[in-house]
């Protein structure tokens, strides 16, 4: 009798398990959504420096599962296709067309490879050509496009090694390229799964603190090390446009090559051993050496040890030379920064960093150029007497801009701007750059004036601008400000400062973004450069507006509100509401209350938003502001949950006050940190009928050395990590939730395991939850089959738990 009962129990359990799984084939969403998803992507446009030639690049709207179903090795932070020797995540271009700036006739590029898979398009120094790679079924090829004749040719038959990124650099003469190629006699890769190990895997800690974040795709064993070295090792060849090749440098793990502005020297950076199982390749040992054009070593200019151990904090850096690059306005001078606080943010010093210049042939000592109060953030070079220097400090969100004289280090750099980097209303803009005689970016100058191009966010809306900055008076004069109230303008660049010609992009809610030439000196109509059509006509008349409202503590909030086509604002039918959001940390209420949304931005539905559902009778609040504020000594996450709930309540109240929604039928959703937000809102409030959480992390003890903008570790603030973790509060979660995750997530901290374990906890505790794992997908989703099915899942979920 006992045996029979046991057998029946096993049968019942087995039936429950089968019923819990759905062996479903891929589904497609309803017609209203499908016609928005299945569209043809407009080409991207690349322009030369003088805006004389345009190259139009075409690519498929989506990848396919077949694109993702390729061989892949995950090593040292890289995801590599070991057959083709290029990143497995590349999005390819399938066609190229060219035209003159003022000519609307597009020329199809002749001679392109069949079934083109193009990437790494790069202008030659004289901008008469573009080099690119084409990926075949088993290799990466080098090709060159001649702009004038609109003809492409394969330059070399040698298989390139693109595993470390773009595998070529142009020589200054525009006739030769320095190319990474697969070494002769490269070892065969080892299959770790089917090979017997020679011993255990051992890691050591010597008592020194090494607070590293949770990285993906790290090396795990000796086989990984061997395969990594094999895959990133290359030989450097000098190849001319006829395909004639000469070995320039032998086999090494090349990480970067850059010619000096005058083209007489080459800076080469190689990865060195030992490797690490704790950090990705950018923290492996490195060596940087300068060579002349014959390949003769001039000087080793930097040697970086393995950087497994760094001080705590976002502003921590390693000791020694870093950010080493050629100075753009000098023939052959290297510039680099070095920490004066030993790279430790906790050390109190007058200056955090020093910036040095080192002139070729590097026989003399480097000379000090400037010191920065906070962490070095980069330089805009001008000429021998003028450059713009930046620094920043995350903890205070402060950013500072200096003018300094590179020829006179005794002259103290002049601070011309210091501001909260999150205060977008006070943003002075970015200095306009142009190519100098070396073909390098330097400050655009007209007599004693520089130029700043700003996004122009204000409390009254967005009005992009161009300011003229006088170097003598240090004052700005606004020479242009967009006056559009029904369109959105982006100022892209100053084409000709003398003529007052400016390249802009203009769009509206229903007008696809297009390029135009604006003349600031002549009152003439905008000159169209492109004429791309709106591929989403079915939602062209959707009502879209920016709504502003306040949180109960007075913080200003905003979001972009969409109403279905034909919605009667007089009768005000009560519709379901979908809220899509992503929380952001701030150090002050003023910055948190500012809005960067523009209601005139083109309505571009994509899988990462809920906009599709305006076609199905839903109200959508997109990009709802969810600031998390921690002023003074208080960190934002000290009050994360309460602020999340306050943000959500304010958003629902704002839309409800307009009379459009049934507040009993509200859903919330988010991706990544937005998924983390969604799970917490469903756990700690009763505001929502359901929620959708995609590719999130739900147990913060699995990211113990910081996450998102949290610098403190778990052992410093266990109450923060535990209270913020939906996994730790899974017993409180009773609201229906759809959990979605890419099967092969590559984002630090958001392992697919996070969703799997959270689902198991919720299921075990009796919550209403559905988990969908999308095959082959990383942190963002790219395959058409998966995206269509995702939208179907979301649609079915809303119909079940929200609309009905």
């Amino acid at each position: 009798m006992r045996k029979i009962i046991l057998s029946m129990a096993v049968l019942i359990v087995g039936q429950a398990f089968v019923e819990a799984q759905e062996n479903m084939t891929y589904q497609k969403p309803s017609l209203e959504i499908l016609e928005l998803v299945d569209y043809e992507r407009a080409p991207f446009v690349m322009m030369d420096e003088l805006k004389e030639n345009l190259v139009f690049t075409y690519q498929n709207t989506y990848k396919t599962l077949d694109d993702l179903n390729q061989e892949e090795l995950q090593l040292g932070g890289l995801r590599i296709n070991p057959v083709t020797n290029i990143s497995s995540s590349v999005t390819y271009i399938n066609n190229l067309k060219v035209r003159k700036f003022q000519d609307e006739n597009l020329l199809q590029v002749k001679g392109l490879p069949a079934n083109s898979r193009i990437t790494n398009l790069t202008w030659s120094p004289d901008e008469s050509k573009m080099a690119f790679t084409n990926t075949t079924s088993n290799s990466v090829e080098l090709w060159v496009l001649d702009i004038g004749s609109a003809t492409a040719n394969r330059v070399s038959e040698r298989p390139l090694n693109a595993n470390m990124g773009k595998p070529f650099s142009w020589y200054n003469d525009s006739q030769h390229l320095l190319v990474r190629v697969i070494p002769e006699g490269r070892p065969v890769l080892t299959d770790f799964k089917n090979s017997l190990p020679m011993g255990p895997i051992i890691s050591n800690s010597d008592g020194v603190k090494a607070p590293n974040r949770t990285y993906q795709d790290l090396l795990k064993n000796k086989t990984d090390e061997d395969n990594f070295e094999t895959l990133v090792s290359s030989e450097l060849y000098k190849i001319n446009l006829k395909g004639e090749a000469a070995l320039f440098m032998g086999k090494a793990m090349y990480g970067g090559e850059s010619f000096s502005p005058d083209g007489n020297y080459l800076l080469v950076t190689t990865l060195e051993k030992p490797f690490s199982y704790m950090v990705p390749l950018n923290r492996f040992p490195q060596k940087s050496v300068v060579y002349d054009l014959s390949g003769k070593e001039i000087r080793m200019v930097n040697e970086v040890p393995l950087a497994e151990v760094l001080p705590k904090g976002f502003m921590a850096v390693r000791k020694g030379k870093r950010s080493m690059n050629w100075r753009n306005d000098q023939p052959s001078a290297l510039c680099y920064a070095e920490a004066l606080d030993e790279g430790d943010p906790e050390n109190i010093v007058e200056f955090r960093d020093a910036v040095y210049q080192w002139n070729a042939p590097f026989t003399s000592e480097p000379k000090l150029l400037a010191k920065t109060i906070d962490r070095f953030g980069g330089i805009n070079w001008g000429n021998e007497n003028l450059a713009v220097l930046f620094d920043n400090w995350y903890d205070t969100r402060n950013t500072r801009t200096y003018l300094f004289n590179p020829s006179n280090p005794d002259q103290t750099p002049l601070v011309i701007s210091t501001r909260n980097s999150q205060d977008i209303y006070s943003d002075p803009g970015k200095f306009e750059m142009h190519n100098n005689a070396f073909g390098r970016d330097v400050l655009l100058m007209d007599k004693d004036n520089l130029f700043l191009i700003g996004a122009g966010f204000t409390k009254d809306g967005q009005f992009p601008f161009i300011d003229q900055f006088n170097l003598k008076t240090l004052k700005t004069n606004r020479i242009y400000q967009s006056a559009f109230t029904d369109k959105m303008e982006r100022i892209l660049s100053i084409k000709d400062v003398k003529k007052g010609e400016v390249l802009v992009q203009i769009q509206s809610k229903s007008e696809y973004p297009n390029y135009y030439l604006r003349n600031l000196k002549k009152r003439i109509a905008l000159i169209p450069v492109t004429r791309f059509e709106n591929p989403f006509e079915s939602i062209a008349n959707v009502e879209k507006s920016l709504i502003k409202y306040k949180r109960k503590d007075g913080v200003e909030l905003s979001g972009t509100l969409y109403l279905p086509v034909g919605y009667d604002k007089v009768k005000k039918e009560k519709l379901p509401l979908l809220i899509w959001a992503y929380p952001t940390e701030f150090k002050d209420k003023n910055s948190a209350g500012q809005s960067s949304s523009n209601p005139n931005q083109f309505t571009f539905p994509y899988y990462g938003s809920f906009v599709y559902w305006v076609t199905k009778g839903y109200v959508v609040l997109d990009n709802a502001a969810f600031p998390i504020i921690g002023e003074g000594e208080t960190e934002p996450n000290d009050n994360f949950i309460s602020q999340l709930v306050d943000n959500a309540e304010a958003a629902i109240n704002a839309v409800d006050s307009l009379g459009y929604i049934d507040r009993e039928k509200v859903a919330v959703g988010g991706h990544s940190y937005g998924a983390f937000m969604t799970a917490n809102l469903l756990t700690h409030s009763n505001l929502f009928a359901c929620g959708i959480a995609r590719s999130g992390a739900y147990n913060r003890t699995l990211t113990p050395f910081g996450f998102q903008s949290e610098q403190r570790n778990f052992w410093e603030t266990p109450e923060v990590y535990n209270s913020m973790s939906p996994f730790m509060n899974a017993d409180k979660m009773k609201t229906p939730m759809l959990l979605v995750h890419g099967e092969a997530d590559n984002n630090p901290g958001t392992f697919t395991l996070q969703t799997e374990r959270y689902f198991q906890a919720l299921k075990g505790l009796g919550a209403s939850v559905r988990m969908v794992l999308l095959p082959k997908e990383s942190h963002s989703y790219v395959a058409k089959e998966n995206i269509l099915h995702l939208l179907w899942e979301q649609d079915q979920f809303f119909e079940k738990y929200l609309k009905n």
Side-chain angles (χ1 to χ4, degrees):
M1 185 68 176
R2 183 176 300 171
K3 291 181 179 179
I4 295 174
I5 293 173
L6 180 61
S7 297
M8 290 177 64
V10 171
L11 179 61
I12 291 170
V13 170
Q15 285 179 334
F17 177 79
V18 170
E19 290 172 358
Q21 314 306 314
E22 293 186 27
N23 296 318
M24 181 180 292
T25 58
Y26 280 110
Q27 302 295 308
K28 294 181 179 180
S30 58
L31 184 61
E32 300 96 325
I33 295 175
L34 187 60
E35 70 175 2
L36 291 174
V37 181
D38 201 6
Y39 72 99
E40 185 175 344
R41 184 191 296 270
F44 293 96
V45 182
M46 301 179 70
M47 302 185 190
D48 59 13
E49 169 70 10
L50 297 177
K51 309 295 184 292
E52 293 179 348
N53 294 297
L54 280 62
V55 177
F56 290 71
T57 69
Y58 298 78
Q59 62 187 56
N60 296 329
T61 304
Y62 305 103
K63 292 186 178 182
T64 66
L65 271 179
D66 189 55
D67 293 328
L68 303 189
N69 191 32
Q70 57 182 299
E71 290 194 46
E72 180 179 75
L73 290 178
Q74 303 169 7
L75 301 170
L78 297 175
R79 291 196 169 185
I80 292 170
N81 183 325
V83 176
T84 56
N85 290 289
I86 194 170
S87 169
S88 55
S89 62
V90 170
T91 297
Y92 290 110
I93 295 164
N94 58 45
N95 194 18
L96 299 172
K97 296 181 181 180
V98 300
R99 53 161 268 210
K100 292 295 183 181
F101 188 85
Q102 302 285 14
D103 186 356
E104 294 190 10
N105 295 320
L106 283 170
L107 296 177
Q108 171 63 51
V109 171
K110 302 181 292 292
L112 289 174
N115 303 313
S116 298
R117 293 199 293 170
I118 294 167
T119 190
N120 295 310
L121 268 167
T122 306
W123 291 100
S124 61
D126 66 5
E127 297 192 320
S128 66
K129 306 170 188 67
M130 295 188 86
F132 62 89
T133 61
N134 178 62
T135 304
T136 68
S137 61
N138 59 7
S139 69
V140 176
E141 304 172 333
L142 178 64
W143 287 67
V144 169
L145 162 64
D146 180 77
I147 301 295
S149 63
T151 303
N153 292 287
R154 182 178 174 181
V155 172
S156 174
E157 295 184 0
R158 295 176 181 271
L160 276 56
N161 188 345
N163 289 326
M164 290 284 284
K166 187 177 70 173
F168 61 82
S169 301
W170 280 101
Y171 279 76
N172 277 26
D173 64 2
S174 297
Q175 298 297 311
H176 296 82
L177 297 109
L178 186 68
V179 184
R180 295 181 202 159
V181 305
I182 302 295
E184 294 288 341
R186 186 168 80 167
V188 176
L189 297 175
T190 303
D191 183 356
F192 175 75
K193 293 181 180 179
N194 297 318
S195 61
L196 291 175
M198 301 301 292
I201 300 167
I202 298 171
S203 297
N204 287 308
S205 174
D206 58 5
V208 177
K209 292 182 179 180
N212 291 307
R213 289 218 163 187
T214 311
Y215 297 108
Q216 303 267 41
D217 304 338
L218 299 178
L219 302 179
K220 299 179 180 66
N221 49 61
K222 183 61 169 61
T223 300
D224 278 358
E225 290 191 57
D226 292 343
N227 286 341
F228 176 81
E229 183 175 5
T230 296
L231 286 166
V232 302
S233 293
S234 305
E235 294 173 335
L236 290 182
Y237 272 79
K238 181 179 180 180
I239 301 178
N240 66 19
L241 298 183
K242 297 178 180 179
E244 298 167 340
L247 180 67
F248 181 81
M249 202 165 291
K251 178 182 173 182
M253 293 183 285
Y254 296 106
E257 308 87 44
S258 65
F259 288 99
S260 60
D262 64 4
N264 292 329
Y265 296 94
L266 178 70
L267 176 66
V268 176
T269 299
T270 55
L271 299 182
E272 306 293 328
K273 294 181 179 179
F275 300 145
S276 171
Y277 297 177
M278 292 182 60
V279 294
L281 63 90
N282 64 314
R283 288 169 64 177
F284 289 0
Q286 298 178 20
K287 184 168 65 174
S288 296
V289 179
V290 174
Y291 299 88
D292 66 16
L293 295 191
S294 70
K296 176 185 175 183
E297 180 174 330
I298 302 300
R299 174 129 189 192
M300 184 176 72
V301 293
N302 200 13
E303 193 165 18
V304 179
L306 176 64
E308 282 188 339
V309 179
L310 286 178
K312 188 185 74 174
F314 292 163
M315 302 314 296
V317 295
R318 60 174 174 78
K319 297 178 183 179
K321 305 180 186 73
R322 68 178 203 280
S323 302
M324 179 175 281
N325 290 290
W326 296 107
R327 181 174 159 178
N328 284 358
D329 64 322
Q330 295 292 303
S332 51
L334 289 171
C335 178
Y336 63 88
E338 197 160 0
L340 298 176
D341 59 2
E342 297 185 319
D344 190 346
E346 294 187 1
N347 290 337
I348 306 301
V349 294
E350 183 179 5
F351 296 100
R352 291 287 177 183
D353 279 336
V355 183
Y356 295 91
Q357 178 174 318
W358 203 359
N359 294 328
F362 314 106
T363 52
S364 60
E365 290 299 310
K367 69 174 184 177
L368 177 70
L369 291 184
K371 294 180 180 179
T372 59
I373 298 170
D374 288 330
R375 193 65 76 209
F376 172 69
I379 296 177
N380 288 345
W381 296 106
N383 55 38
E384 60 182 14
N385 298 314
L386 175 69
V388 176
L389 172 68
F390 305 93
D391 72 10
N392 61 84
W393 199 252
Y394 175 79
D395 297 53
T396 60
R397 308 300 197 272
N398 190 72
T399 182
R400 193 178 286 105
T401 305
Y402 310 77
L403 287 180
F404 79 104
N405 184 347
S407 298
N408 185 3
D410 294 329
Q411 184 177 330
T412 303
L414 178 65
V415 177
I416 59 172
S417 171
T418 181
R419 51 180 288 273
N420 183 331
S421 61
Q422 293 183 309
D423 181 3
I424 59 175
Y425 292 174
S426 69
D427 189 346
K430 295 182 179 179
F431 285 100
E432 175 71 343
M433 312 292 286
H434 76 136
N435 281 2
N436 62 7
F438 297 126
R440 305 296 175 98
D441 271 352
V442 294
L443 293 163
L444 175 63
M445 299 178 64
D446 182 32
K447 298 178 181 177
D448 293 321
N449 295 308
L450 304 179
F451 298 88
L452 290 155
I453 296 179
F457 293 111
T458 74
K459 62 182 179 62
D460 299 317
Q462 185 182 7
F463 306 98
F465 61 83
I466 303 174
D467 280 352
Q468 187 174 270
F469 179 81
N470 189 274
L471 293 167
K472 290 185 175 180
T473 65
L474 303 181
K475 293 182 179 180
T476 58
N477 174 43
R478 186 143 300 178
I479 60 176
Y480 174 73
Q481 182 161 349
S482 178
F484 281 125
T485 57
D486 60 342
K487 297 180 186 293
M488 175 179 170
E489 180 173 5
R490 287 181 59 212
I491 303 170
L492 302 176
S493 65
I494 298 174
K495 182 177 184 291
D496 190 317
V497 68
K498 300 294 185 184
K499 295 180 179 179
E501 293 179 339
V502 177
L503 183 68
V504 301
Q505 186 186 66
I506 295 175
Q507 59 190 287
S508 74
K509 301 172 188 178
S510 59
E511 295 176 9
Y512 196 88
N514 274 290
Y515 296 96
Y516 295 84
L517 193 63
R518 178 184 287 285
N519 195 301
L520 305 185
K521 295 185 176 182
K522 299 178 181 179
R523 292 188 176 182
I524 58 176
L526 290 165
I527 300 174
V529 178
T530 60
R531 299 182 186 273
F532 301 133
E533 298 293 332
N534 180 1
F536 309 113
E537 287 296 336
S538 65
I539 57 171
N541 296 319
V542 163
E543 181 162 336
K544 178 181 181 182
S545 62
L546 179 68
I547 63 169
K548 295 186 178 182
Y549 49 96
K550 289 186 178 181
R551 206 163 72 177
K552 64 183 180 182
D553 61 358
V555 175
E556 297 277 353
L557 303 176
S558 64
T560 303
L561 186 68
Y562 296 85
L563 298 177
V565 174
Y567 180 80
D568 192 329
K569 295 173 71 173
V570 176
K571 293 182 179 179
K572 292 187 176 180
E573 179 187 357
K574 303 290 187 179
L575 300 178
L577 171 65
L578 307 180
I579 298 176
W580 186 264
Y582 190 94
T584 305
E585 295 83 352
F586 293 87
K587 287 301 291 180
D588 70 292
K589 291 182 179 179
N590 176 60
S591 299
Q594 297 177 358
S595 174
S596 61
S597 297
N598 190 324
N600 298 313
Q601 185 172 12
F602 178 68
T603 303
F604 200 124
Y606 72 108
Y607 87 89
S609 78
F610 285 157
V611 174
Y612 295 109
W613 277 270
V614 293
T615 65
K616 303 204 67 178
Y618 294 83
V619 176
V620 175
L621 185 64
D622 198 27
N623 292 322
F626 267 68
I628 308 297
I629 306 165
E631 296 187 303
E633 297 298 317
T634 301
E635 289 295 321
N637 287 339
D638 292 345
N639 300 293
F640 181 82
I641 300 298
S642 61
Q643 293 193 64
L644 268 191
V645 175
D646 288 349
N647 290 327
E649 186 173 37
I652 295 170
N653 288 342
V655 186
D656 187 34
S657 69
L658 297 173
Y660 302 152
I661 64 166
D662 178 350
R663 65 179 302 136
E664 299 299 316
K665 294 183 176 182
V666 181
V668 64
H671 190 94
S672 194
Y673 207 55
F676 175 71
M677 169 205 73
T678 298
N680 270 310
L681 284 171
L682 300 188
T683 301
H684 298 288
S685 78
N686 296 312
L687 297 169
F688 299 98
C690 62
I692 293 177
R694 300 201 314 245
S695 297
Y698 308 103
N699 183 349
R700 285 303 167 196
T701 68
L702 298 180
T703 55
F705 287 105
F707 57 90
Q708 199 69 7
S709 296
E710 179 57 67
Q711 300 183 79
R712 299 168 295 182
N713 66 47
F714 168 76
W715 295 272
E716 290 177 289
T717 56
E719 67 286 353
V720 169
Y721 277 70
N722 283 311
S723 66
M724 289 179 67
S725 294
F727 182 88
M728 302 302 184
N729 299 278
D731 58 322
K732 301 185 181 74
M733 224 294 286
K734 305 302 179 185
T735 308
M737 178 164 56
L738 175 63
L739 288 169
V740 183
H741 217 116
E743 182 190 40
D745 197 323
N746 60 340
N747 187 55
T750 56
F751 297 97
T752 308
L753 182 69
Q754 287 268 6
T755 288
E756 293 173 323
R757 292 292 181 262
Y758 187 38
F759 170 78
Q760 290 171 355
L762 292 172
K763 182 176 174 63
L765 293 165
S768 296
V769 61
R770 179 179 176 88
M771 180 177 69
V772 177
L773 300 182
L774 300 175
K776 310 291 183 180
E777 296 288 2
S778 297
H779 191 61
S780 297
Y781 316 145
V782 296
K784 184 175 183 178
E785 297 91 333
N786 282 324
I787 289 172
L788 293 181
H789 186 84
L790 166 71
L791 296 174
W792 178 85
E793 288 279 359
Q794 293 181 164
D795 198 33
Q796 297 297 307
F797 191 78
F798 289 147
E799 292 290 323
K800 179 177 181 179
Y801 289 108
L802 188 65
K803 203 167 190 179
N804 299 319

